[in-house]
Amino acid sequence: TQGDPESPLLWTNKSLDHLAEALTAQGMPVSSQTVSRLLAAHHYSMPANRKRFEPGCDHPDRDQQFTFIAEQARAFQSAGNPMIPIDGKKKELIGNDKNNGKEYHPVKQPVDVNGHDFPDPKVPKAIPYGVYDPVRNTGWVNVGTDHDTGTFAVESIREWWLNMGQEAYPNATELFITADGGDSNGSRLRLFKRELQKFADETPLAITVSHYPPGTSKFNKIEHRLFLAISINWRGRPLINYEMVVNLIRHTTTKTGLRVQAALDTCTYETGIVVKDKEMASLNIERPEGQNQQWNDTIRPRVKTSEPKIAC
């Protein structure tokens, strides 16, 4: 039994048949059914692991950052400016591969898929990057085909603004973005900051970005308001091609009125770009006084241009 200091075997994973054979070998002949009844009588079961403990210690500024994000969100919404959580969804294999979940089919007529889906650089992947507007309960998903980089993340935000944001917020002067602290929109990623500066220069928007503290990305609303609904909508369906991915995302709805738009992004995004100190110094970035400066940036426009730039 796990946790018994006197036992030489603290972890076991024996089937009922193996337990019955072991007991029989020790002079106690029983069947697997009897073993099952005895385990149940002693309140044993086979539960899955339960996520409960957070590794390491909570960051000392964690609560302060959550308070700051909540205050900023209320202030932006009261002023009629957009507040958008952003994030990249899990990459999805394109092809006749298994997709987790189930959907109804005629009895004994399951969808046949490939027996293996080993990682292969030759197999195309869909890279969904989402933008969610909690006020209007709408989402934008940019489905990439190349690499998930800081440039791709900002291009997804740009596409949301051009296709949904500027129409919904014609008088907006500021934009508030919440994101987790890693991947293509990480708090330390220079490329993400540089590309946000380019986007700010194209628009009248001052862009404030607040990152969630380490280990708390699950609190980002986009995870359970947008991405969860998409996963439920395409559960059990092989994602045969990019068109199917985009269409399934577009047709994602919820009882609360979620509406989603999506587009395929076939641009090529270079990896390994290094943003040097001199270029970082040219960015028009402000940070709030006090703590949590590493998680909060406000990027203001340097110039105004009439036509927005595009990534490719």
Side-chain angles (χ1 to χ4, degrees):
T1 300
Q2 175 188 353
D4 181 0
E6 303 298 326
S7 172
L9 182 63
L10 300 185
W11 294 85
T12 63
N13 187 19
K14 293 183 177 292
S15 68
L16 296 176
D17 288 335
H18 288 168
L19 289 170
E21 291 173 2
L23 289 169
T24 300
Q26 296 179 23
M28 295 172 282
V30 293
S31 66
S32 59
Q33 291 86 348
T34 300
V35 172
S36 178
R37 289 197 299 270
L38 289 171
L39 288 172
H42 286 79
H43 307 293
Y44 276 76
S45 64
M46 296 184 70
N49 292 348
R50 179 177 62 182
K51 291 184 178 181
R52 182 177 176 185
F53 303 109
E54 295 289 346
C57 300
D58 290 342
H59 196 284
D61 297 332
R62 168 174 166 163
D63 185 62
Q64 185 185 41
Q65 180 66 0
F66 271 97
T67 301
F68 179 80
I69 290 175
E71 291 174 348
Q72 289 289 100
R74 285 193 290 268
F76 272 73
Q77 292 172 2
S78 298
N81 289 313
M83 174 266 184
I84 54 170
I86 63 170
D87 200 9
K89 196 180 185 299
K90 180 177 71 71
K91 296 178 182 179
E92 303 287 349
L93 292 176
I94 297 297
N96 192 34
D97 297 301
K98 180 181 178 181
N99 196 358
N100 291 331
K102 301 176 182 179
E103 65 173 357
Y104 280 102
H105 290 279
V107 176
K108 295 183 179 181
Q109 295 184 33
V111 176
D112 294 326
V113 297
N114 297 333
H116 302 285
D117 53 3
F118 297 122
D120 186 343
K122 298 179 181 179
V123 176
K125 297 178 179 64
I127 309 172
Y129 195 97
V131 178
Y132 177 65
D133 182 345
V135 173
R136 285 169 168 73
N137 197 20
T138 58
W140 169 268
V141 180
N142 197 32
V143 181
T145 60
D146 190 48
H147 294 98
D148 184 12
T149 68
T151 307
F152 172 66
V154 176
E155 180 62 19
S156 301
I157 299 170
R158 179 183 286 109
E159 289 299 314
W160 165 80
W161 175 250
L162 295 176
N163 289 278
M164 301 180 73
Q166 63 183 358
E167 180 180 354
Y169 301 92
N171 299 318
T173 58
E174 297 181 89
L175 171 64
F176 182 45
I177 298 174
T178 61
D180 59 26
D183 299 323
S184 59
N185 48 237
S187 59
R188 298 182 180 180
L189 190 64
R190 289 186 169 193
L191 180 62
F192 180 62
K193 299 177 190 293
R194 188 194 74 178
E195 295 302 313
L196 278 177
Q197 180 69 75
K198 292 181 180 179
F199 175 52
D201 293 344
E202 301 162 12
T203 68
L205 302 174
I207 303 171
T208 297
V209 184
S210 290
H211 298 271
Y212 286 95
T216 63
S217 60
K218 62 185 177 183
F219 293 103
N220 198 351
K221 289 183 181 294
I222 194 173
E223 297 288 344
H224 46 90
R225 296 280 184 87
L226 177 61
F227 289 161
L228 178 60
I230 293 172
S231 296
I232 292 174
N233 189 50
W234 69 26
R235 62 186 176 188
R237 300 187 187 186
L239 304 177
I240 303 298
N241 50 48
Y242 287 115
E243 182 181 8
M244 183 175 186
V245 171
V246 172
N247 285 334
L248 285 171
I249 293 174
R250 286 174 177 168
H251 287 86
T252 298
T253 58
T254 63
K255 290 183 178 179
T256 58
L258 173 69
R259 293 178 292 109
V260 185
Q261 295 185 30
L264 185 65
D265 185 341
T266 58
C267 294
T268 299
Y269 294 95
E270 181 182 352
T271 60
I273 296 176
V274 177
V275 180
K276 298 183 179 181
D277 293 344
K278 183 178 180 180
E279 192 170 7
M280 285 299 296
S282 70
L283 305 185
N284 190 11
I285 296 180
E286 301 174 1
R287 292 186 172 87
E289 296 182 359
Q291 299 180 2
N292 302 347
Q293 290 189 0
Q294 74 274 29
W295 295 330
N296 301 294
D297 296 307
T298 296
I299 302 174
R300 300 189 182 279
R302 297 174 298 189
V303 295
K304 290 186 178 181
T305 58
S306 59
E307 293 296 330
K309 299 177 183 178
I310 58 175
C312 63

